[in-house]
């Protein structure tokens, strides 16, 4: 879609002329304009100004693929994670191999270094080391390689915004002084194959299905920022956060320890290492001993990735409705 046409569509939408914007885009779409096809697909993903239809979005992404690098990237992500169709790692790899942009080449090089089977799962299950006598908290040394850590941080750096916490009353995310950091969420549309492989590795390490995990969240704590004592379990939910995995993406900063007061445990971050802890007791109730904190960073910046794992499947397209 030409920028002038795209600008016209945005102006129409901003002035409340939705029907005209949809018709203008549909006409260009039907004439084979890849930009219009991509815009149509994104509207189907977002659910505005058209109703959400993930399957329809996949169809238009496939048509836009050859003329739109961004469309190809989104189609690859959705093909791998199964949004709007079955999860198909092998098809996603074929699409990635056909892509000619620099970002695709970076992913291909990274994936070549990962030991994966035909479904993207690791050939060897990562093993953790208990940090507590009851094995409720464990550490996975070198869970990610330096290149993988860099890719995660770089892929999400431009998407960073002030971090949110879940409001226990509504289940919605909101700003709160308990957490002072920046964050970015790896939504299904940006879950490239390298990020997908990491989520599959987390699933293998935790003996869970990949669909039980919330979208990977990337956090950046600058000097003075912290996460005050809190519990990751949610209130009034039928699909609880049973486990949390934290992955430290860098080192070389001062402070930022992960602290579990009930265990008198202070974990010094090391780049590439992962920490896994169980949030629930055997009866499914929150374990009060899992209250933890991220100590203030005193120098430099701390980067980490967090994956909250639910007891049942979590649908990232439904958001708070999963509660």
């Amino acid at each position: 879609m030409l920028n002038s046409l795209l600008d016209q569509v945005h102006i129409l939408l901003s002035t409340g002329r939705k029907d005209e914007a949809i018709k203008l885009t549909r006409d260009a779409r039907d004439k084979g304009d890849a930009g219009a096809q991509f815009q149509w697909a994104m509207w189907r993903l977002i659910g505005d100004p058209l109703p959400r239809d993930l399957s329809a979005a996949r169809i238009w992404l496939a048509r836009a693929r050859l003329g739109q690098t961004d469309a190809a990237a989104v189609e690859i992500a959705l093909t791998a994670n199964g949004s709007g169709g079955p999860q198909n790692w092998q098809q996603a790899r074929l699409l990635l191999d056909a892509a000619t942009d620099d970002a695709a080449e970076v992913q291909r090089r990274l994936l070549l270094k990962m030991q994966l089977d035909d479904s993207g799962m690791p050939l060897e299950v990562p093993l953790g080391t208990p940090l507590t006598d009851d094995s409720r908290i464990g550490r996975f040394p070198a869970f990610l390689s330096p290149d993988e850590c860099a890719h995660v941080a770089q892929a999400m750096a431009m998407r960073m915004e002030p971090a949110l916490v879940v409001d226990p009353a509504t289940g919605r995310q909101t700003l709160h002084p308990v957490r002072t950091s920046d964050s970015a969420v790896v939504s299904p549309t940006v879950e490239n194959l390298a990020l997908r492989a990491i989520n599959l590795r987390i699933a293998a390490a935790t003996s869970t299905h990949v669909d039980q995990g919330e979208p990977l969240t990337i956090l950046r704590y600058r000097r003075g920022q912290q996460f005050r004592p809190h519990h990751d379990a949610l209130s009034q939910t039928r699909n609880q956060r049973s486990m949390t995995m934290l992955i430290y993406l860098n080192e070389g900063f001062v402070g930022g320890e992960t602290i579990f007061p009930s265990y008198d445990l202070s974990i010094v971050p090391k780049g590439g290492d992962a920490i896994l802890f169980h949030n629930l007791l055997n009866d499914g109730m929150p374990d009060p001993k899992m209250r933890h904190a991220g100590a203030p960073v005193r120098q430099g910046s701390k980067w980490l990735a967090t994956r909250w794992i639910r007891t049942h499947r979590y649908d990232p397209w439904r958001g708070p409705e999963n509660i």
Side-chain angles (χ1 to χ4, degrees):
M1 184 187 294
L2 298 175
N3 287 336
S4 59
L5 182 55
L6 191 59
D7 290 341
Q8 290 179 54
V9 170
H10 289 165
I11 290 171
L12 289 171
L13 288 175
S14 66
T15 55
R17 298 155 69 184
K18 181 176 76 170
D19 291 343
E20 293 178 58
I22 292 173
K23 182 180 184 306
L24 185 62
T25 306
R26 182 191 292 113
D27 290 345
R29 178 205 74 180
D30 291 343
K31 292 177 181 178
D33 187 294
Q37 292 169 344
F38 181 46
Q39 181 66 80
W40 196 266
M42 295 309 294
W43 284 347
R44 284 302 200 182
L45 291 173
I46 296 168
D48 183 36
L50 296 170
R52 175 173 287 162
D53 187 330
L54 301 182
S55 298
R58 288 275 293 271
I59 292 172
W60 290 107
L61 287 170
R63 296 184 183 183
R65 179 201 315 149
L66 296 180
Q68 274 279 337
T69 299
D70 290 342
V74 175
E75 183 189 13
I76 292 167
L78 300 188
T79 300
N81 62 43
S83 296
Q87 297 178 9
N88 193 328
W89 175 267
Q90 294 186 52
Q91 178 62 24
R93 280 303 313 262
L94 289 174
L95 291 171
L96 180 66
D97 289 343
T100 58
D101 58 289
D102 292 341
E105 178 59 26
V106 169
Q107 288 184 65
R108 286 192 291 265
R109 289 199 301 266
L110 197 55
L111 289 169
L112 283 174
K113 299 177 183 179
M114 299 180 181
Q115 300 298 311
L116 306 174
D117 66 16
D118 290 340
S119 64
M121 293 291 287
L123 292 177
E124 295 186 8
V125 176
L127 299 177
T129 302
L131 293 178
T132 58
D133 291 340
D134 58 8
S135 299
R136 301 279 290 163
I137 306 172
R139 189 169 200 151
F140 291 76
F143 187 78
L144 295 188
S145 70
D147 286 344
E148 291 167 348
C149 289
H151 179 77
V152 174
Q154 292 168 6
M156 304 305 294
M158 298 302 293
R159 299 174 181 269
M160 287 289 174
E161 296 180 348
L164 305 175
V165 297
V166 175
D167 185 327
T170 66
R172 299 188 179 278
Q173 294 188 324
T174 183
L175 291 170
H176 196 285
V178 70
R179 173 186 254 177
T180 54
S181 63
D182 299 308
S183 71
V185 176
V186 181
S187 69
T189 60
V190 298
E191 188 187 26
N192 66 43
L193 291 198
L195 296 174
R196 181 66 175 178
I198 289 170
N199 279 333
L200 290 167
R201 190 182 306 170
I202 293 171
T206 57
S207 299
T208 60
H209 193 280
V210 66
D211 287 347
Q212 289 177 241
E214 294 182 36
L216 195 67
T217 298
I218 314 306
L219 297 163
R220 177 183 61 202
Y221 292 84
R222 291 172 168 160
R223 183 177 179 180
Q225 293 184 324
Q226 63 181 309
F227 201 167
R228 299 180 187 277
H230 63 283
H231 202 294
D232 285 351
L234 304 171
S235 62
Q236 300 178 345
T237 177
R238 296 182 301 276
N239 191 13
Q240 190 57 269
R241 288 174 169 172
S242 60
M243 288 179 274
T244 299
M245 178 167 271
L246 304 178
I247 308 172
Y248 303 113
L249 300 178
N250 71 323
E251 52 189 68
F253 52 88
V254 179
E257 299 87 356
T258 303
I259 300 170
F260 291 84
S262 294
Y263 288 94
D264 194 24
L265 176 64
S266 179
I267 302 169
V268 177
K270 182 179 179 182
D273 283 7
I275 303 297
L276 176 68
F277 50 95
H278 298 258
N279 296 312
L280 307 179
L281 298 168
N282 291 335
D283 61 3
M285 297 299 293
D287 183 349
K289 293 195 298 183
M290 288 301 116
R291 188 171 174 82
H292 60 286
V297 173
R298 301 194 299 275
Q299 183 177 327
S301 295
K302 177 179 76 171
W303 287 75
L304 72 157
T306 300
R307 180 85 158 169
W308 292 290
I309 300 168
R310 300 293 187 109
T311 54
H312 308 293
R313 183 178 183 273
Y314 180 93
D315 184 350
W317 296 100
R318 295 179 62 196
E321 295 178 23
N322 287 276
I323 301 295

